[in-house]
Amino acid sequence: MAQRPGPRASDSSPGPGPSANATDRGPRGSAPHARRRPHRNHSRRSPPPARPRSPTPRVGRRTAAPRPSAPRTPPARLAQCTAQPRPVAPGNRWTPGGVARGGGAARPKGPIPGARAGARKGELPEAGMEPEERKRLSSASLEGDPREENKLKRGISQDLTSSPKLDRYKIARQLTEKAIKEKKIFSIYGHYPVIRATLRRKGWVEKKFHFLPKADGSLGVVFAEHKCAEGKENQEEALEKTNDIHDVMSRLVKNEMPYFLWTIKRDVIDYHRLSCDQMLNHYGKTASFTTKIGLCVNMRSLPWYVQANPDSFFPRCYGLCTESEKQEFLDDFRRTVASSILKWVVSHQNYSRGKPSIKGEACEPGSGNKKASKNAESKLTGLSGQLVDTACKVCQAYLGQLEHEGIDVSEDSTRGLTEDEWKDLTQQYYSLLHGEAFISNSRNHFSQCQALLNKITSVNPQTEIDGLRNIWIIKPAAKSRGRDIVCMNRVEEILELVAADHLSAKDNKWVVQKYIETPLLIYDTKFDIRQWFLVTDWNPLTIWFYKESYLRFSTQRFSLENLDSAIHLCNNSIQKHLKNDKDRSPLLPYYNMWTSTRFREYLQKRGRGAVWASVIYPAMKRAIANTMRVAQDHVEPRKNSFELYGADFILGRDFQPWLIEINSSPTMHASTPVTAQLCAQVQEDTIKVVLDRKVDRNCDIGNFELLWRQPAVELSPFHGSDLCVEGVSVRKAKKQMPTISNVNFSSSLLDIQPLKVRCPLAMPNQPLGPPHSALQQDSKLKDAKVTVRLLVPV
C-alpha cells in the first residue's frame, strides 16, 4: 500500500542526516527509502541545488520553506519511471545543449528516473538511458573531463539558463535561423575584414571555406567542415572551445548555401555553377580591359563604339607578341625620333634665348647651364643640318598621314627612308640626346621646326607627353603590381629584351607603351592617382564612380637622366620596399600618399583649385565610361554579380589625366593611414550599392555616384512569322491535254493543310484535323499571314 508523501521524522534535521551504511543498501527498501538514497549518495559532496517547485498546487503539499534536502518524488510516479524508462526525444539527449536544440520536452531536473538506487561511489546512473546516450556519457567519463564527471555523478543536468556560453549559443542559433530564412549567408576568400564586419552588422552569417588544389593545378572551393561540430550532439563541445559567437554561427550554417561570395580571385570559383540567387564580386572574361595586352588592343576599337579618340586619354601602346605589332612599334619609335629632333632644335633655341619652352627638362645636352654649354659645345661632334631636313621630311609625311592626305599615294609613308638611313638617323639622335653631339646652325631651322610641331600637335594630342628622350615603358602583358616593368629609350634594347624571352608565342606577351615624359610633379616628385569604380551590370551597362581617390608618390625625386623603376613607378608594392630620398621635399608624407581632398587643398593654395572639378575629375570619368563601353561585348554579363575596379591615372603638366591601366581586385590593405581610411570606406559603400539598393533604391550609397547607365532597348513584340508559299504558273502545253474528269477539290485542300502545319512558328500548337477544321481556324492565322498559291494550269 502506497504511503502518503509527507515529512518524516528522519527528515527533520536541517542537514543531510542519513546514516553512512545506507549507501550500500539495495533497492529492496520501501519507496521512502528509495527517495532518500539519491540524497545519501551525494551526502559526501556539496548539496545539489533545490528543484524549483511547480506553480500548480498539489494535494497534500505543505507550504513549509524548502529544505536543502533532495526533492521527493511520489511513489506512484517513481514506480512508473522505474518500470518503464522515459524515452528521450530527438535532439534532447542528456546534454547541456539538449533544450537549445529543441525537438522534445526538456528533461526534468533531479535524480535520473530509473537510476539504480544502490549506485556505489564512482558509478554512472546509466539505467533508463538510450544506448547511444549511455555510450556517450561513458566515453565522456573516460576522457577525464572533471566537469562532465561531476555532473554525471550528481545525477543532475546543468541549468542551461545559468551558463553564459549556452546563452550565447541560444542567441547565435536564433540569429542564424533568421539569417537562413532571409538568405543572408556569405563567404569570403581573402583578407577583407571590413567586408566581413560590414555584413555581420547587417545580419549576415559567414560560412567559412578554404580551397584545395585540383588535379589540373587549379583551385576548387571546399567549404570548411568543423570536425568538432560534425553532429548535433557535439555542438556544445565546440561551443566550449570558442568564445566568439560568430564562430558558433558559422558552424550552424556549414550545410547552408552562401548567397554572397567575395573572393580575391575570380578563378577560385566556377561562376557557371552558381545559382541565380548567389551574388559574386567578379565577372567573367574581363581580360579585355584588366590586362595590359587586352586594354592595348581594346583601345584601338574605341572609335567604332564611341565618338572619342583613344589617343586623348590613353598613351599609345603596342603588343610585341607578333611581327606586325613589332613593326608598328618600330615605325612609331622612328617617327618619335624625328619629332624629338625637331623639339631639340626648338628647345635649344629657346634655351639660348633664356626662355626654355619645356620646363623641367635638360634642353641643352651635356650641360647644366648656359656657360657650361658653350664650353662643352666646342668639344662635341657637330652634326650637319641635313639631319634636321631628314627629320622634317619624316614629320611631314607623318602629318600627311594623320590628315589623310596621302591615303592613295603610298602604303606607308614612314618607310620613305631605307633601313640604313633609319639606322644613321637613329644613331645621330642618340648622340644628340646623350650630349655627345650638337646641330650646327640649328637656329636656321627654328621656324620650320616650330611650324611643323604646331601642326603635329593640333592633330596628335600625345605630342606633349612624348618629350625629347623617346622613353618607352615595357611591361609584361598579364602581370600586376609593377613586376618586371622597365623603362628604355633605345629600340634595339627593347627588341632584344623581348627576343631574349624564349617563351611560347602564347605566353610571350609583352606590351610597350609610350612613357609620359612630362608628368605633373608635386615638390619635384612624380605621383599617380588610384581611382575606384564599380560595375553592377553589363546589360544594361551600369557604372558607379567613386568621388574619393588617393595619390601615390615616388620615394625618389623625378629625373629623366635615370631610368630606374623606383623613380618612374609609383606602385605601392614597389615603393614600400624603398627608403625616401634625402633630397626629396620634407613636405611630402613619409608614407607617400595623399587623399584627393588633400590634393585639392594643394591646388587651391596655388590658385588652381578649380582644375580638379573642371578638368581632372570629369576627364577621368569620361575615360572610364569610354573604356567600359568598348569592353561591354567581351565580358560575360552575369546577372547578380558586381565588381570593384581600381584605375591608375597620371596627370600631365596640363592637368590632363592619362589612363595607364585598370586592375581587378584592387588592394584593400590598410598599408598607410590614407588606405586605412579610404579602403575601408569604399568597401562599406560597395556593400551599400550592391545590397542595400536592392531593398531601397533611395538608400545611402556613400561616395558612389552613378556614372553611366545604358538606356534600355525595347524589343518589338513578337506577332508570329510571315510565312508565304508561292508558286509558278504552269504554261499550257502545245499538245492538247486530255480532259481530267472527276476533279475533287477537297483533295486539294487536303494537300494544302500540311503546308500550314509544317511550320511551328506560323501555327503554334495547331491541331491536326480534317480540312473543314482548318477552315474554321482561319481567324487564328491572321498573325501568321500564311499565303498559299496553287499551281493552276494557264
Side-chain angles (χ1 to χ4, degrees):
M1 178 177 178
Q3 299 180 1
R4 178 180 179 182
R8 298 176 58 88
S10 59
D11 296 338
S12 60
S13 60
S19 58
N21 58 358
T23 307
D24 299 330
R25 294 178 181 177
R28 296 187 301 271
S30 61
H33 291 287
R35 290 196 303 270
R36 291 197 303 269
R37 280 165 187 159
H39 174 68
R40 295 174 182 177
N41 191 23
H42 295 282
S43 60
R44 296 179 180 84
R45 305 181 183 276
S46 59
R51 176 185 175 186
R53 298 184 179 272
S54 173
T56 306
R58 191 172 59 181
V59 179
R61 174 176 293 180
R62 300 181 61 180
T63 58
R67 290 174 297 178
S69 59
R72 304 188 179 208
T73 305
R77 182 179 179 185
L78 179 62
Q80 180 182 2
C81 296
T82 307
Q84 183 177 1
R86 177 173 179 165
V88 181
N92 269 339
R93 296 182 178 87
W94 190 54
T95 62
V99 175
R101 288 192 298 270
R107 182 182 179 89
K109 297 177 177 59
I112 304 175
R116 185 162 54 91
R120 292 187 175 90
K121 180 179 180 180
E123 283 190 20
L124 296 178
E126 301 177 355
M129 299 183 183
E130 291 184 353
E132 181 181 357
E133 185 176 359
R134 187 184 301 111
K135 180 180 179 181
R136 177 180 175 277
L137 297 179
S138 301
S139 61
S141 177
L142 293 176
E143 290 177 359
D145 188 354
R147 292 175 298 180
E148 189 74 16
E149 184 177 357
N150 292 336
K151 288 187 293 183
L152 296 177
K153 289 181 178 180
R154 288 196 303 265
I156 61 173
S157 62
Q158 183 180 1
D159 187 6
L160 300 181
T161 61
S162 64
S163 174
K165 291 187 176 181
L166 293 172
D167 285 344
R168 185 166 60 250
Y169 178 80
K170 291 180 180 179
I171 297 175
R173 188 170 184 85
Q174 293 176 358
L175 295 176
T176 302
E177 291 176 352
K178 180 180 179 182
I180 294 174
K181 182 179 180 180
E182 298 177 355
K183 296 183 178 181
K184 289 186 175 181
I185 312 297
F186 74 95
S187 296
I188 294 180
Y189 173 65
H191 184 71
Y192 295 101
V194 176
I195 296 294
R196 180 177 287 106
T198 303
L199 292 175
R200 285 176 175 176
R201 288 197 302 267
K202 296 180 180 296
W204 289 69
V205 179
E206 181 180 8
K207 177 179 181 178
K208 297 182 179 180
F209 61 88
H210 59 276
F211 297 87
L212 296 178
K214 297 180 180 179
D216 56 357
S218 60
L219 296 177
V221 180
V222 179
F223 289 90
E225 299 290 344
H226 300 279
K227 294 182 179 180
C228 59
E230 291 180 352
K232 289 185 178 180
E233 66 274 6
N234 293 329
Q235 289 183 352
E236 69 278 359
E237 295 180 10
L239 180 61
E240 294 289 338
K241 299 180 181 180
T242 180
N243 293 322
D244 190 0
I245 189 173
H246 296 290
D247 291 342
V248 180
M249 297 168 70
S250 297
R251 292 186 177 94
L252 295 177
V253 298
K254 65 185 182 67
N255 295 325
E256 300 294 332
M257 181 180 70
Y259 293 93
F260 185 90
L261 300 171
W262 186 292
T263 64
I264 191 173
K265 296 180 180 180
R266 179 191 57 82
D267 297 335
V268 297
I269 289 182
D270 186 3
Y271 56 91
H272 294 100
R273 298 184 179 181
L274 297 179
S275 65
C276 59
D277 293 338
Q278 293 180 284
M279 181 175 291
L280 181 64
N281 69 320
H282 290 289
Y283 288 101
K285 298 183 179 180
T286 60
S288 58
F289 65 94
T290 57
T291 60
K292 298 176 179 62
I293 186 64
L295 188 62
C296 172
V297 175
N298 222 27
M299 284 295 99
R300 300 176 186 177
S301 304
L302 180 64
W304 296 98
Y305 295 86
V306 185
Q307 293 182 357
N309 184 9
D311 291 339
S312 62
F313 65 91
F314 182 71
R316 56 192 186 276
C317 183
Y318 302 95
L320 300 180
C321 52
T322 60
E323 293 299 327
S324 60
E325 290 280 300
K326 290 181 182 179
Q327 186 61 46
E328 291 184 15
F329 159 67
L330 181 60
D331 295 340
D332 194 339
F333 186 91
R334 290 172 174 177
R335 289 192 301 262
T336 309
V337 165
S339 61
S340 298
I341 294 175
L342 271 60
K343 289 182 179 181
W344 189 96
V345 174
V346 174
S347 61
H348 182 273
Q349 189 64 25
N350 290 333
Y351 187 86
S352 300
R353 296 176 182 178
K355 299 178 181 179
S357 61
I358 302 180
K359 183 179 179 181
E361 292 189 0
C363 299
E364 186 68 21
S367 62
N369 52 63
K370 183 177 179 180
K371 182 177 180 180
S373 175
K374 291 182 178 180
N375 296 333
E377 198 170 275
S378 59
K379 301 179 181 179
L380 300 179
T381 303
L383 302 176
S384 64
Q386 183 65 29
L387 176 64
V388 182
D389 295 335
T390 304
C392 290
K393 177 183 176 181
V394 174
C395 291
Q396 188 65 46
Y398 175 59
L399 182 61
Q401 182 182 5
L402 292 178
E403 296 177 349
H404 306 287
E405 293 179 355
I407 189 171
D408 297 328
V409 177
S410 61
E411 295 181 358
D412 191 358
S413 59
T414 58
R415 297 184 182 182
L417 302 180
T418 63
E419 287 295 325
D420 294 337
E421 290 176 340
W422 274 119
K423 290 181 181 179
D424 183 61
L425 179 66
T426 304
Q427 293 301 325
Q428 293 185 54
Y429 166 73
Y430 289 158
S431 60
L432 182 69
L433 181 65
H434 294 91
E436 301 173 356
F438 71 99
I439 299 175
S440 58
N441 300 325
S442 59
R443 67 179 59 185
N444 298 334
H445 304 276
F446 173 77
S447 300
Q448 180 185 6
C449 294
Q450 183 69 61
L452 196 55
L453 284 175
N454 291 337
K455 292 181 180 180
I456 295 177
T457 305
S458 63
V459 295
N460 182 15
Q462 297 196 12
T463 306
E464 178 67 20
I465 69 174
D466 286 347
L468 287 175
R469 299 179 178 273
N470 201 7
I471 300 175
W472 294 75
I473 183 167
I474 299 89
K475 312 174 185 179
K479 290 186 179 181
S480 60
R481 300 191 299 275
R483 293 173 293 177
D484 300 334
I485 296 180
V486 293
C487 296
M488 295 182 178
N489 59 354
R490 288 181 176 268
V491 65
E492 59 274 6
E493 294 179 358
I494 297 175
L495 297 178
E496 287 178 2
L497 174 65
V498 177
D501 196 346
H502 300 290
L503 297 177
S504 60
K506 179 181 179 181
D507 299 328
N508 185 18
K509 292 183 179 180
W510 291 82
V511 296
V512 57
Q513 190 172 32
K514 185 63 187 69
Y515 181 75
I516 301 175
E517 300 184 30
T518 57
L520 180 67
L521 304 179
I522 297 180
Y523 302 126
D524 295 331
T525 305
K526 184 183 177 182
F527 67 94
D528 66 2
I529 301 178
R530 168 56 62 89
Q531 176 65 54
W532 291 297
F533 67 95
L534 175 68
V535 178
T536 55
D537 200 346
W538 285 96
N539 188 21
L541 179 60
T542 308
I543 310 173
W544 303 83
F545 202 76
Y546 206 64
K547 299 177 183 179
E548 293 290 336
S549 54
Y550 64 95
L551 280 64
R552 303 178 297 187
F553 292 94
S554 172
T555 56
Q556 316 296 319
R557 295 185 62 184
F558 181 75
S559 174
L560 294 176
E561 298 288 341
N562 187 355
L563 299 182
D564 188 3
S565 299
I567 300 176
H568 304 284
L569 298 182
C570 301
N571 303 60
N572 185 60
S573 57
I574 294 178
Q575 298 295 338
K576 67 181 181 180
H577 300 293
L578 305 174
K579 294 183 179 180
N580 295 335
D581 191 4
K582 296 180 180 179
D583 298 334
R584 204 185 68 158
S585 174
L587 299 177
L588 294 175
Y590 70 92
Y591 47 84
N592 303 320
M593 285 188 184
W594 270 5
T595 62
S596 57
T597 304
R598 176 68 182 87
F599 179 52
R600 292 195 294 270
E601 295 174 357
Y602 167 84
L603 296 174
Q604 186 69 31
K605 292 180 180 179
R606 281 152 181 78
R608 307 302 298 269
V611 173
W612 176 268
S614 61
V615 179
I616 302 175
Y617 191 72
M620 290 194 299
K621 294 170 67 175
R622 286 194 301 268
I624 294 301
N626 293 337
T627 305
M628 295 298 100
R629 292 173 67 180
V630 178
Q632 183 179 9
D633 292 342
H634 303 280
V635 182
E636 289 189 359
R638 180 186 182 272
K639 294 296 182 179
N640 210 21
S641 289
F642 66 95
E643 189 156 8
L644 180 68
Y645 302 100
D648 295 339
F649 289 91
I650 291 181
L651 302 182
R653 287 186 312 193
D654 56 353
F655 300 99
Q656 174 68 30
W658 295 90
L659 176 63
I660 304 302
E661 63 182 9
I662 298 177
N663 301 274
S664 61
S665 299
T667 177
M668 290 296 169
H669 291 284
S671 55
T672 66
V674 172
T675 55
Q677 172 192 350
L678 293 184
C679 291
Q681 187 177 358
V682 71
Q683 293 178 80
E684 294 180 0
D685 294 345
T686 301
I687 298 300
K688 294 177 182 179
V689 174
V690 301
L691 291 181
D692 295 352
R693 284 193 80 253
K694 283 190 170 184
V695 181
D696 182 11
R697 288 289 180 177
N698 298 322
C699 69
D700 176 32
I701 57 174
N703 286 323
F704 275 109
E705 64 172 334
L706 183 61
L707 170 61
W708 174 265
R709 180 174 177 82
Q710 189 178 33
V713 180
E714 296 183 1
L715 300 178
S716 58
F718 177 75
H719 295 291
S721 301
D722 294 338
L723 179 61
C724 181
V725 181
E726 295 184 356
V728 181
S729 61
V730 180
R731 293 183 179 182
K732 191 174 182 180
K734 295 181 180 181
K735 185 178 180 180
Q736 186 69 25
M737 297 295 296
T739 303
I740 302 177
S741 58
N742 299 329
V743 178
N744 188 1
F745 290 97
S746 62
S747 61
S748 301
L749 294 177
L750 289 174
D751 295 338
I752 298 173
Q753 180 62 22
L755 293 176
K756 296 182 180 180
V757 301
R758 285 173 187 171
C759 181
L761 295 178
M763 300 179 59
N765 300 325
Q766 199 61 239
L768 294 176
H772 66 274
S773 63
L775 296 176
Q776 294 175 358
Q777 297 178 359
D778 286 343
S779 60
K780 298 181 181 180
L781 300 178
K782 292 182 180 180
D783 292 340
K785 297 181 181 180
V786 180
T787 303
V788 180
R789 298 184 181 180
L790 301 179
L791 301 179
V792 180
V794 180

